[in-house]
């Protein structure tokens, strides 16, 4: 009797815990939706429906709601928009609040079921899985934001989990081919939302299911039956998606598929992208954060997954673990190779949602690894050694620029819009650092033009420009032909003909990320682009014209000034006369919300600490110091570093804010005048 009561009690505890966590997840979602500053309003601000992707989702959703098959209204594949169409009449612009909440809760349930099978050795493994999913998804503002804002990944995630769950059920009982059908059906249905995601998912599930079938049911009959059932499920789903696509677009390739095929993938970029997207994009890129910097627990999760997969084990669910880990790995590799995923946009434009379904699994493997280390006495040393070895191989890397030669003339046309580069691009890793003036968005989005040997290459798919202090960095996204290159910028960007271009190459070197404490990382801070000349007695007026002089650490320009962002912000100028002392004045105010400490600032000139100040109010104040000529002799320019000791995010003081920038000073003007 007692033996029967204990499992029942555990089951009841799991159910009660799961229902509680589902309620918490729903409440967190609704609160985040209500507080989101970009959520749309009925008859008012359209909010995120004015963004690039979301505008196209909404256009198609409205079209489906009135059964309008005009191809001009349907950009992406139909799955996500069709989910929202039934709710348009009920909730208008809030239709996807129902869709996303349903997908979130369905994902929670499916993830819980998978966790129960992956963690059989842990009491209440399903409840643990629910707790992990809720913690990672609903108590991380960034991850929850990716569920609140409409993205196709919200519809694809529960289908991905359903495919993995069906695959694991088949691996447990290979003779039940019906699970192969459900796995194929779910994987094929993902194509209605994110067709690219189907490739790694199907590859992982099919290979591991085939292995399980051969290992546990020797012979070809069971394998053939499973193959037919899986193919039937996938075929039915893909045929359904294709039918809807043809109803809208006919047999023609729509703009989304045509654009995606032109961008494509570059597998040689995977090592560099692992570093710039997951570890740290700096110092190669001036902006951006890596996934592990923002979500540090991912390092432990990746190490745990590697250790559990690579360590010999007699567990009967080893193939199930291999299925999930292989699906995660292939998915990550696929998007590391994607030509249009860059560190500048990973968090700025919420592109981290590409990895949304993976994050709960990474956290779960961190927990499973910890449990194995504590309780698997005979394997403890091997597990820990494997995890440490993985971290030692995967993490201590940094992406840098190596200057190849001295700066060379840029051959800029008189209009400042076109430059010719006789040497062109020597390799995929080549980079040109070009002095230019333009706003961040104008440089980043372009589109700019590149021609080599009379042939035009496409922005986004063939090459890309990234803002750098003093100009832009031009890199290629595929191997381009050798020969003279002609680069033309958009009308709102101007090339600087007075400052030479720098030729460089992108390299990976051993080193710690730049976001670690200063004694550890030792990242190079020298910017290759030579800054423009600031005439004696000149004022750098912030609010637009300061862009050519700015290094890293600045937010976007605003009327009247610009915020520093992060622990330090740099201003780089050349002076007409470098042989005399100068007086430096900075007009700024601190970010001082109610209940916060004053903003403390230290200032260094070319690496030499010169002074410090405190900004305790939100009113403008002026900080002045004398800079001796000895501090910049021989350097050719002045690098002014404003080191902010207490930057803080608006989100810390207003839970309704989605502003996660670490703000310090709002700088209004910098004056550099010769000392009398």
């Amino acid at each position: 009797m007692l033996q029967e009561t204990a499992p029942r009690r555990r089951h009841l505890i799991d159910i009660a815990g799961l229902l509680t966590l589902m309620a918490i997840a729903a409440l967190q979602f609704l609160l985040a939706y209500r507080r989101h500053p970009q959520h749309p309003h009925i008859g008012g601000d359209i909010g995120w429906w004015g963004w690039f992707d979301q505008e196209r989702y909404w256009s198609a959703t409205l079209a489906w709601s009135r059964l309008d098959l005009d191809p001009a209204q349907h950009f992406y594949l139909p799955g996500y928009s069709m989910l929202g169409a039934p709710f348009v009449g009920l909730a208008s612009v809030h239709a996807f609040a129902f869709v996303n909440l349903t997908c979130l809760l369905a994902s929670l349930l499916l993830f819980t079921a998978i966790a129960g099978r992956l963690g059989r050795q842990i009491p209440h493994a399903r409840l643990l899985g629910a707790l992990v999913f809720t913690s990672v998804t609903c108590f991380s503002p960034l991850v929850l934001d990716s569920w609140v804002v409409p993205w196709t990944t919200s519809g694809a995630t529960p289908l991905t989990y359903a495919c993995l769950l069906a695959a694991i059920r088949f691996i447990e009982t290979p003779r039940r081919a019906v699970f192969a059908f459900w796995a194929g059906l779910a994987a094929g249905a993902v194509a209605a939302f994110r067709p690219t995601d189907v490739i790694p998912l199907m590859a992982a599930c099919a290979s591991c299911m085939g292995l399980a079938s051969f290992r546990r049911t020797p012979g070809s009959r069971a394998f053939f039956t499973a193959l037919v059932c899986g193919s039937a499920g996938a075929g039915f789903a893909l045929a359904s998606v294709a039918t809807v696509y043809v109803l809208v677009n006919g047999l023609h390739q729509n703009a989304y598929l045509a654009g995606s095929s032109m961008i494509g993938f570059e597998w040689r970029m995977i090592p560099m992208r692992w570093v710039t997207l997951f570890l740290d994009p700096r110092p190669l890129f001036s902006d951006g954060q890596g996934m592990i910097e923002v979500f540090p627990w991912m390092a432990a999760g990746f190490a745990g997954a590697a250790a559990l997969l690579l360590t010999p084990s007699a567990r009967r669910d080893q193939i199930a673990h291999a299925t999930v880990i292989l699906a995660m790995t292939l998915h990550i590799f696929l998007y590391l190779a994607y030509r249009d995923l860059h560190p500048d946009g990973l968090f700025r434009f919420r592109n981290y949602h590409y990895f949304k379904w993976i994050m709960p699994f990474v956290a779960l493997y961190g927990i499973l690894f910890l449990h194995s280390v504590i309780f698997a006495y005979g394997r403890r040393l091997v597990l820990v050694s494997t995890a440490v070895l993985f971290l030692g191989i995967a993490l201590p890397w940094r992406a840098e620029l190596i200057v190849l030669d001295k700066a060379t003339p840029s051959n800029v046309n008189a209009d400042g819009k076109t430059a010719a580069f006789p040497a062109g691009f020597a390799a995929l890793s080549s980079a040109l650092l070009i002095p230019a003036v333009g706003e961040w968005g104008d440089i980043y989005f372009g589109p700019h033009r590149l021609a080599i040997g009379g042939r035009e290459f496409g922005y986004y798919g063939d090459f890309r420009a990234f803002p750098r202090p003093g100009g832009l960095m031009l890199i290629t996204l595929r191997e381009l032909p050798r020969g003279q290159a002609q680069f033309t910028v958009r009308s709102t960007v101007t090339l600087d003909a007075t400052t030479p271009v720098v030729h460089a190459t992108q390299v990976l070197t051993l080193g710690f990320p730049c976001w670690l404490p200063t004694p550890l990382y030792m990242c190079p801070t020298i910017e290759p682009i030579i800054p423009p000349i600031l005439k004696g007695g000149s004022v750098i007026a912030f609010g637009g014209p300061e862009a050519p002089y700015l290094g890293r650490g600045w937010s976007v320009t605003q009327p009247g000034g610009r915020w520093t962002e992060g622990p330090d912000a740099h201003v780089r100028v050349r002076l007409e006369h470098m042989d005399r002392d100068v007086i430096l004045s900075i007009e700024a105010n601190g970010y001082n919300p109610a209940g916060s400490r004053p903003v403390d600032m230290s200032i260094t000139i070319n690496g030499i600490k010169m002074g410090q100040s405190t900004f305790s109010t939100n009113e403008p104040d002026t900080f002045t110091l004398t800079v001796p000529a000895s501090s910049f002799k021989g350097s050719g320019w002045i690098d002014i570093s404003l080191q902010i000791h207490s930057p803080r995010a608006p989100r810390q003081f207003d839970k309704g804010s989605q502003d996660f920038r670490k703000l310090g000073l709002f700088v209004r003007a910098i004056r550099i005048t010769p000392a009398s």
Side-chain angles (χ1 to χ4, degrees):
M1 186 67 178
L2 289 176
Q3 292 178 344
E4 295 178 0
T5 303
R8 178 176 176 81
R9 182 179 301 165
R10 286 197 296 269
H11 178 70
L12 291 176
I13 292 173
D14 288 348
I15 294 297
L18 177 59
L19 292 176
T20 301
L21 291 171
M22 288 182 67
I24 291 173
L27 179 61
Q28 286 288 100
F29 175 91
L30 294 172
L31 289 174
Y33 187 95
R34 181 176 179 273
R35 293 170 178 168
H36 201 290
Q38 279 85 40
H39 83 250
H41 297 81
I42 297 175
D45 181 13
I46 61 173
W48 54 54
W49 295 131
W51 301 358
F52 181 88
D53 291 306
Q54 286 68 23
E55 180 183 26
R56 285 153 180 77
Y57 299 159
W58 186 239
S59 174
T61 300
L62 293 177
W64 283 116
S65 70
R66 55 179 183 266
L67 298 180
D68 180 359
L69 300 182
D70 179 6
Q73 305 301 318
H74 300 268
F75 183 76
Y76 292 107
L77 292 187
Y80 194 52
S81 295
M82 291 183 74
L83 288 182
F87 299 99
V88 170
L90 176 66
S92 184
V93 294
H94 300 296
F96 280 87
F98 296 91
V99 174
N100 291 349
L101 177 57
T102 301
C103 291
L104 173 65
L105 296 179
S107 298
L108 170 57
L109 287 171
L110 291 164
F111 183 86
T112 298
I114 297 172
R117 286 173 158 75
L118 296 179
R120 296 177 189 276
Q121 70 278 19
I122 301 177
H124 303 289
R126 290 187 300 169
L127 182 57
L128 175 65
L131 184 61
V132 167
F133 183 93
T134 306
S135 300
V136 169
T137 300
C138 300
F139 288 94
S140 168
L142 283 174
V143 181
L144 186 56
D145 181 270
S146 71
W147 284 95
V148 170
V149 175
W151 294 107
T152 52
T153 47
S154 294
T157 296
L159 290 171
T160 301
Y161 289 171
C163 175
L164 291 172
L165 178 60
I168 292 171
R169 293 294 303 273
F170 175 83
I171 290 168
E172 294 170 346
T173 54
R175 293 188 181 278
R176 298 191 63 184
V178 65
F179 288 124
F181 173 84
W182 291 118
L185 182 69
V190 172
F193 299 83
R194 300 184 62 81
T196 303
D197 291 15
V198 176
I199 300 170
L201 182 63
M202 277 192 173
C205 291
S207 57
C208 292
M209 290 165 66
L211 176 62
S213 179
F214 271 116
R215 284 184 60 179
R216 297 185 180 174
T217 56
S220 60
R221 182 173 181 179
F223 175 81
F224 181 75
T225 302
L227 178 63
V228 170
C229 290
S231 301
F236 177 78
L238 293 173
S240 300
V241 175
T243 299
V244 176
Y245 176 87
V246 170
L247 286 175
V248 174
N249 301 284
L251 298 178
H252 306 287
Q253 191 177 48
N254 72 357
Y256 166 65
L257 294 181
S260 297
S261 63
M262 291 177 63
I263 293 173
F265 302 87
E266 176 55 69
W267 305 105
R268 288 173 293 178
M269 295 194 303
I270 288 178
M272 179 66 73
R273 288 288 184 81
W274 163 254
V275 175
T276 59
L277 291 176
F278 274 84
L279 301 183
D280 190 355
R282 296 155 295 193
L284 175 59
F285 291 89
S286 297
D287 280 324
Q289 293 175 287
M291 293 282 289
I292 292 176
E293 177 184 359
V294 177
F295 308 112
W297 45 266
M298 294 188 79
F302 284 137
L308 292 173
L309 180 65
L310 300 176
T311 302
S313 172
R315 289 194 311 242
R316 62 190 181 93
D317 55 355
Q318 191 72 5
I319 301 179
H321 283 279
T323 305
V324 173
I325 295 172
L326 182 60
M328 291 167 50
T329 303
L330 293 178
H331 184 91
I332 290 172
F333 280 6
L334 184 72
Y335 281 105
L336 293 181
Y338 183 47
R339 290 193 177 96
D340 199 32
L341 182 59
H342 306 288
D344 294 62
L346 189 63
F347 288 97
R348 188 186 296 263
F349 305 116
R350 297 172 168 86
N351 291 336
Y352 63 91
H353 77 91
Y354 288 10
F355 306 103
K356 184 160 62 182
W357 75 262
I358 286 175
M359 287 191 273
F361 276 116
V362 175
L364 178 65
Y365 273 106
I367 300 296
L368 294 179
F369 171 73
L370 181 62
H371 178 273
S372 296
V373 168
I374 294 173
F375 294 101
Y377 300 103
R379 301 168 57 225
R380 179 179 296 169
L381 181 59
V382 177
L383 283 168
V384 173
S385 300
T386 306
V388 170
L389 179 63
F390 172 84
L391 293 175
I393 294 174
L395 297 191
W397 296 97
R398 192 161 60 221
E400 296 182 354
L401 273 175
I402 301 296
V403 175
L404 295 178
D405 54 24
K406 294 181 179 180
T408 57
S410 55
N411 300 320
V412 176
N413 287 2
D415 61 0
K417 300 301 176 187
T418 301
F421 307 106
F425 296 90
L428 184 64
S429 59
S430 297
L432 295 176
L433 293 118
I434 307 171
V437 177
E439 284 300 312
W440 191 96
D442 293 335
I443 292 175
Y444 183 76
F445 289 112
H448 311 297
R449 296 171 58 195
L450 180 68
I452 301 176
R455 177 185 170 189
E456 289 271 351
F457 293 91
Y459 200 58
Y460 299 110
D462 295 328
F463 72 100
R464 196 68 190 262
F466 297 93
R468 291 284 300 204
L472 59 88
M473 179 173 67
L474 184 65
I475 67 172
T476 63
L477 302 175
R478 67 173 82 238
E479 198 80 53
L480 298 183
R482 304 291 179 89
Q484 177 168 305
Q486 183 170 290
F487 175 58
T488 304
V489 294
R490 62 177 292 176
S491 60
T492 51
V493 178
T494 301
L495 301 176
D496 181 3
T498 66
T499 306
V501 170
V502 175
H503 292 257
T505 186
Q506 308 164 64
V507 298
L508 292 179
T509 62
L510 287 171
F512 291 111
C514 295
W515 44 266
L516 288 175
T518 304
L520 290 177
Y521 68 74
M522 298 180 63
C523 280
T525 58
I526 297 175
E527 292 292 348
I529 299 177
I530 299 174
I533 294 176
L534 180 69
K535 296 185 181 298
S538 294
V539 177
I540 305 175
F542 280 62
E546 76 280 7
Y549 306 102
L550 299 186
R552 70 177 189 275
W554 295 94
S555 187
V556 296
T557 186
Q558 296 178 213
R562 189 186 294 247
W563 286 105
T564 64
E565 185 174 356
D568 60 351
H570 292 253
V571 177
R572 303 164 64 249
V573 300
R574 281 187 292 161
L575 301 180
E576 285 186 309
H577 302 287
M578 305 292 292
D579 57 352
R580 65 181 68 174
D581 297 352
V582 298
I583 297 175
L584 172 67
S585 298
I586 301 173
E587 182 183 351
N589 62 269
Y591 177 59
N592 292 291
S596 65
R597 295 174 49 222
V599 176
D600 296 320
M601 178 205 74
S602 297
I603 184 168
T604 64
I605 306 294
N606 290 350
I608 304 171
K609 186 173 181 179
M610 290 288 178
Q612 58 188 27
S613 183
T614 298
F615 294 81
S616 56
T617 72
N618 293 318
E619 297 300 320
D621 195 4
T622 300
F623 171 76
T624 302
L625 61 80
T626 299
V627 182
S630 60
S631 65
F632 48 77
K633 276 184 177 179
S635 66
W637 61 75
I638 298 177
D639 185 342
I640 304 168
S641 174
L642 308 180
Q643 297 165 336
I644 312 301
H645 301 289
S646 52
R648 65 287 302 262
R651 170 77 183 191
Q652 294 175 246
F653 302 92
D654 178 9
K655 295 304 181 184
S657 173
Q658 292 296 309
D659 191 347
F660 295 92
R661 295 175 300 165
K662 294 287 188 178
L663 304 181
L665 297 180
F666 187 70
V667 179
R668 302 166 183 269
I670 293 180
R671 296 173 176 84
I672 303 178
T673 58
S676 56

